[in-house]
Amino acid sequence: MEVLKELRKSLLLALWFVVLTFPIMVIRVNTITDTIEWRWERAILMAVGSFVGSFLWKFLLARQEARKSRQTAKGSSEASDDGASAQKSLTERLLARLGWTRDTLREKKVAIPALAILGAIVIVFPFVTSIYQSNIMISALIYVILALGLNVVLGLGNMLHLGFAAFYAIGAYTYGLLNHYFGVGFWIALPLGAAASAIAGILLAIPVLRLRGDYLAIVTLAFGEIIRLLLVNLSGITMGPSGVKSISRPGLFGLDLSYTQAITYTYFICLALVIFTVFIVHRLENSRIGRQLVAMGEDDIAARAMGVNTSRAKLTAFALGAVWAGIAGVLFAAKTTFINPDSFKVWDSVLILCMVVLGGMASIPGVIAGALILILLPEYLRVFSDYRLLIFGAVLVIMMVFRPGGMIPKRRKAYKLRPEELQGSAAVPVGGGEGDAP
Amino acid sequence: MLRLEGIKTFYGNIQAIKGISLEVNEGEVVCLIGANGAGKSTTLMSISAIVPPREGEIYFNDEPISRLAPDEIVKMGIVQVPEGRHIFPGLTVQENLDMGALLRRDKEAIGKDLDYVFELFPILKDRKSQAGGTLSGGEQQMLAISRALMASPKLLLMDEPSLGLAPLLVQQIFEIIRKVNTESGTTIFLVEQNANLALKIADRGYVMETGRITLTDTAANLLENEDVRRAYLGV
């Protein structure tokens, strides 16, 4: 009976879609011959497509529900079952098929060769592929830094920030303008760009200290636009919409680098900065300030009751997030050698946001994967470039429904009990070492 | 230990507390009872400086504290268990407890306090690596109390610990509140709607009505008081 009901619902939905898309899908006015073409075959296609799509959608949703309820049943029957380990992730199920567990990946004899292979590929990459590929990879790495920066604000502090591209712009323009007017080099501009961006972060954070959620999102959105409009309109200083041209590439002890060499060099700088970012952000997560941020993001009142200075935590989060955006901006200016306000639109802020959400909030591997996928896939799928936004939207919707935690969700740290504690009670769980490696 | 003098607190233009004075002595359990909207929770929020008072002064060990920031208040040893079990739902039980000890650096004493709260609430030990949000209501309240104890408070402010709990659990929680008071000598200032139980474990009580304190006496006398019995004890 259930199935019949669902089928009827899908049928109605398909009919509705046919009606809805009728004017654009079926009717076409041929302006040359002044006739109307009726393309009925498209209506049929639409009907079948939406029928199958809707049915599949419902089937998958039902399956997810069933899995969830099975887990809760299991979780409550075994008190010792740790919530995180009850939930078998997709990766775990794939690994299980190979006869592995998550721990196998952490074992030294698997982890070290895997890391070594990855490292070798990453190092060899610019030498074996074309400059075009290296350039794409540099963009992707820059976005990895950006996404990791936003992750500090969004993933840890749980604050919706829709103007992140503004900090990116501040970093880029710091280098661009300093280079243009004073001939400042890349390596000096790098910390300056980060600092300028951090200061902007603090300046933005001061007025939004009391805001949360939607209101914060609106203010940050406006901030992003203000910065972009300033860059457009302060044409005396920033050269307006035409942008800053011929910015120098990163220098290497005054050596003269060919174009190819310069790109390869930039690639390695990006790579080093990505590793540096990952290292710092990972340290931050487990630090006192990181935990204050997480606490504040989870529950503002409880955090304050526990003695978290939420004002300072917010300022720190905005400043620390902005630092990485500033660094990414300097890298971007050095890579493209030309910047204009068009590179820092709302769309870029949204794209960075999507990387964090799609990859997995607060999860470093997730954010990296999100950034790489969202930059690399469109580059390699240029054939479908007309449908890029359509696919993008569909993927986001599907992800949010079926994997709300992102591709690689944050794994909550599970504590291992010390042996002397184990003697106390027999029923305590040993939460298998799935925390991040120290 | 804690003294409020003529405290007036506002939410925007609405005055929630219309000038109250009260005192909590060291080692006591003092409870503040009253109906909904009397200003009980606001009193605690004012002490914690989360909603700072507009007029009046709060003294802690004879030091004025009403101009301090919330985190400085916590540093002085005044820790609140907020109403409605504001725990961190995404953090594990252990991490929640660690957050309680955020401002402390004495590792050894923290470990001792951790053992102590696990002794008070053994169930939390079993649920150590479970996310706080997956705990039941009663367990969440236990976690909120334990988290506050991890800050090793001199004065523990508790806002409606019985809210939304089954009668049996309420009884248990109140017994533990009394136990914490006698065992570790923590002074407790308790805000409750469940006047009957609160007065049974308290030494002294204050009765609050629409922003004012209308009555104060020892807990035993309040339990006998005709007005209190009619208004708050339902007899």
Side-chain angles (χ1 to χ4, degrees):
Chain A
M1 235 27 235
E2 269 303 302
V3 180
L4 266 181
K5 217 164 136 192
E6 289 299 323
L7 277 174
R8 216 183 58 192
K9 264 192 195 159
S10 294
L11 202 67
L12 280 173
L13 195 109
L15 272 175
W16 173 236
F17 255 75
V18 171
V19 174
L20 206 66
T21 54
F22 188 79
I24 48 168
M25 295 300 285
V26 178
I27 305 174
R28 184 164 69 183
V29 180
N30 192 326
T31 45
I32 298 165
T33 56
D34 263 349
T35 49
I36 294 175
E37 288 170 24
W38 302 89
R39 301 171 294 179
W40 292 107
E41 73 284 354
R42 288 190 159 204
I44 296 166
L45 219 69
M46 200 66 216
V48 173
S50 47
F51 179 76
V52 171
S54 121
F55 197 70
L56 203 68
W57 179 258
K58 281 192 184 128
F59 171 73
L60 287 174
L61 264 184
R63 217 181 60 154
Q64 198 195 22
E65 281 298 311
R67 200 188 310 149
K68 241 188 229 159
S69 60
R70 228 181 15 246
Q71 263 163 21
T72 16
K74 208 172 119 201
S76 56
S77 67
E78 302 165 42
S80 67
D81 212 344
D82 157 359
S85 71
Q87 215 167 354
K88 277 239 162 76
S89 68
L90 186 70
T91 27
E92 269 173 341
R93 271 180 281 148
L94 277 177
L95 287 173
R97 209 155 281 184
L98 288 169
W100 289 1
T101 63
R102 204 165 259 281
D103 287 334
T104 329
L105 284 183
R106 299 204 176 274
E107 269 172 34
K108 280 205 172 126
K109 69 176 177 214
V110 181
I112 289 176
L115 272 179
I117 292 169
L118 183 72
I121 292 173
V122 165
I123 287 170
V124 170
F125 185 82
F127 300 109
V128 294
T129 56
S130 64
I131 290 182
Y132 171 70
Q133 304 287 349
S134 301
N135 258 324
I136 293 173
M137 199 44 94
I138 291 171
S139 302
L141 290 176
I142 288 173
Y143 271 93
V144 168
I145 297 177
L146 275 171
L148 284 170
L150 181 62
N151 188 41
V152 174
V153 183
L154 180 65
L156 297 184
N158 210 3
M159 294 179 284
L160 192 49
H161 191 332
L162 288 177
F164 208 62
F167 299 131
Y168 185 32
I170 288 168
Y173 268 85
T174 305
Y175 178 39
L177 295 177
L178 282 178
N179 186 264
H180 180 83
Y181 290 116
F182 308 107
V184 173
F186 172 82
W187 290 108
I188 296 165
L190 194 63
L192 287 180
S197 188
I199 290 166
I202 291 171
L203 288 181
L204 168 65
I206 291 169
V208 302
L209 274 180
R210 303 170 68 97
L211 301 180
R212 282 195 72 77
D214 310 352
Y215 304 102
L216 181 70
I218 292 167
V219 175
T220 50
L221 186 69
F223 174 78
E225 277 303 275
I226 289 169
I227 294 291
R228 191 179 67 81
L229 289 172
L230 274 179
L231 293 177
V232 172
N233 290 306
L234 283 176
S235 39
I237 306 165
T238 63
M239 280 148 273
S242 54
V244 186
K245 283 181 275 294
S246 52
I247 302 165
S248 354
R249 291 179 188 282
L252 180 65
F253 307 115
L255 286 176
D256 244 347
L257 295 174
S258 74
Y259 178 62
T260 320
Q261 284 167 329
I263 293 294
T264 310
Y265 180 49
T266 315
Y267 171 86
F268 281 111
I269 293 172
C270 285
L271 197 62
L273 283 171
V274 164
I275 293 167
F276 178 64
T277 312
V278 170
F279 176 72
I280 298 288
V281 172
H282 180 72
R283 298 287 301 183
L284 180 72
E285 226 172 56
N286 296 319
S287 71
R288 193 171 280 259
I289 183 80
R291 291 202 325 199
Q292 290 193 13
L293 278 179
V294 173
M296 186 185 69
E298 291 252 331
D299 192 318
D300 201 64
I301 289 182
R304 278 193 283 173
M306 288 301 104
V308 174
N309 184 337
T310 48
S311 307
R312 196 166 51 202
K314 256 183 208 176
L315 288 176
T316 322
F318 270 90
L320 284 178
V323 162
W324 304 114
I327 288 177
V330 175
L331 276 173
F332 175 73
K335 174 220 162 197
T336 54
T337 68
F338 164 73
I339 48 172
N340 75 348
D342 274 352
S343 307
F344 314 104
K345 285 184 171 164
V346 177
W347 168 247
D348 295 275
S349 298
V350 173
L351 188 67
I352 305 165
L353 184 79
C354 288
M355 291 169 183
V356 176
V357 174
L358 197 70
M361 291 227 276
S363 139
I364 294 176
V367 170
I368 295 174
L372 289 178
I373 286 174
L374 284 189
I375 294 299
L376 296 182
L377 270 194
E379 291 294 342
Y380 292 122
L381 295 179
R382 283 225 174 262
V383 200
F384 303 107
S385 58
D386 286 351
Y387 304 99
R388 194 189 283 181
L389 283 179
L390 186 73
I391 297 170
F392 196 66
V395 166
L396 272 183
V397 170
I398 291 169
M399 283 294 291
M400 285 306 103
V401 171
F402 293 106
R403 278 184 84 79
M407 286 184 298
I408 309 177
K410 169 83 180 160
R411 300 183 65 80
R412 290 248 56 102
K413 205 172 204 166
Y415 282 77
K416 259 189 189 154
L417 293 182
R418 297 188 293 271
E420 63 268 21
E421 280 177 299
L422 270 174
Q423 292 163 354
S425 58
V428 280
V430 179
E434 52 207 16
D436 299 326
Chain B
M1 186 178 216
L2 180 79
R3 200 166 77 244
L4 274 66
E5 279 176 11
I7 290 298
K8 292 181 185 170
T9 304
F10 293 74
Y11 288 107
N13 286 325
I14 300 159
Q15 188 169 12
I17 304 182
K18 297 169 180 162
I20 61 167
S21 302
L22 58 82
E23 202 167 350
V24 180
N25 300 319
E26 187 144 15
E28 271 187 325
V29 177
V30 175
C31 80
L32 181 63
I33 57 177
N36 276 331
K40 305 184 302 288
S41 297
T42 311
T43 308
L44 290 194
M45 287 298 178
S46 289
I47 299 171
S48 289
I50 293 174
V51 186
R54 201 173 283 180
E55 274 178 52
E57 190 52 77
I58 302 169
Y59 296 94
F60 183 62
N61 291 336
D62 293 323
E63 255 181 82
I65 58 166
S66 71
R67 299 283 170 272
L68 296 183
D71 56 305
E72 291 169 311
I73 303 268
V74 175
K75 239 175 252 168
M76 297 192 78
I78 306 178
V79 183
Q80 187 181 166
V81 184
E83 183 182 6
R85 314 185 275 268
H86 279 280
I87 58 152
F88 303 117
L91 302 186
T92 62
V93 169
Q94 174 79 56
E95 284 170 318
N96 265 282
L97 294 174
D98 285 348
M99 279 308 302
L102 182 79
L103 297 178
R104 299 171 63 188
R105 289 177 189 274
D106 42 343
K107 272 222 167 106
E108 219 163 274
I110 293 175
K112 232 175 241 166
D113 282 352
L114 189 65
D115 290 342
Y116 179 62
V117 300
F118 280 155
E119 190 190 309
L120 284 178
F121 303 106
I123 186 91
L124 292 184
K125 192 171 184 172
D126 298 342
R127 304 221 181 276
K128 221 173 171 177
S129 45
Q130 206 171 316
T134 64
L135 299 180
S136 74
E139 289 162 355
Q140 289 190 11
Q141 184 66 56
M142 294 177 193
L143 179 57
I145 296 172
S146 306
R147 192 184 56 190
L149 287 176
M150 288 301 290
S152 120
K154 294 189 187 105
L155 172 65
L156 187 62
L157 307 175
M158 300 185 94
D159 199 350
E160 304 254 5
S162 74
L163 192 78
L165 298 185
L168 210 64
L169 258 174
V170 174
Q171 193 89 39
Q172 199 192 337
I173 296 260
F174 275 92
E175 272 163 25
I176 284 175
I177 293 173
R178 188 78 240 193
K179 198 171 158 194
V180 166
N181 173 252
T182 45
E183 278 179 5
S184 50
T186 311
T187 312
I188 292 171
F189 185 45
L190 181 71
V191 157
E192 253 304 334
Q193 286 213 48
N194 191 334
N196 195 13
L197 267 173
L199 286 173
K200 271 183 189 150
I201 64 152
D203 299 311
R204 288 190 305 118
Y206 288 89
V207 179
M208 200 167 179
E209 259 172 54
T210 56
R212 287 195 178 82
I213 293 206
T214 52
L215 198 61
T216 172
D217 210 334
T218 63
N221 285 347
L222 283 178
L223 272 172
E224 297 298 318
N225 186 301
E226 269 310 308
D227 294 335
V228 174
R229 282 168 73 92
R230 219 181 24 251
Y232 302 110
L233 303 179
V235 273

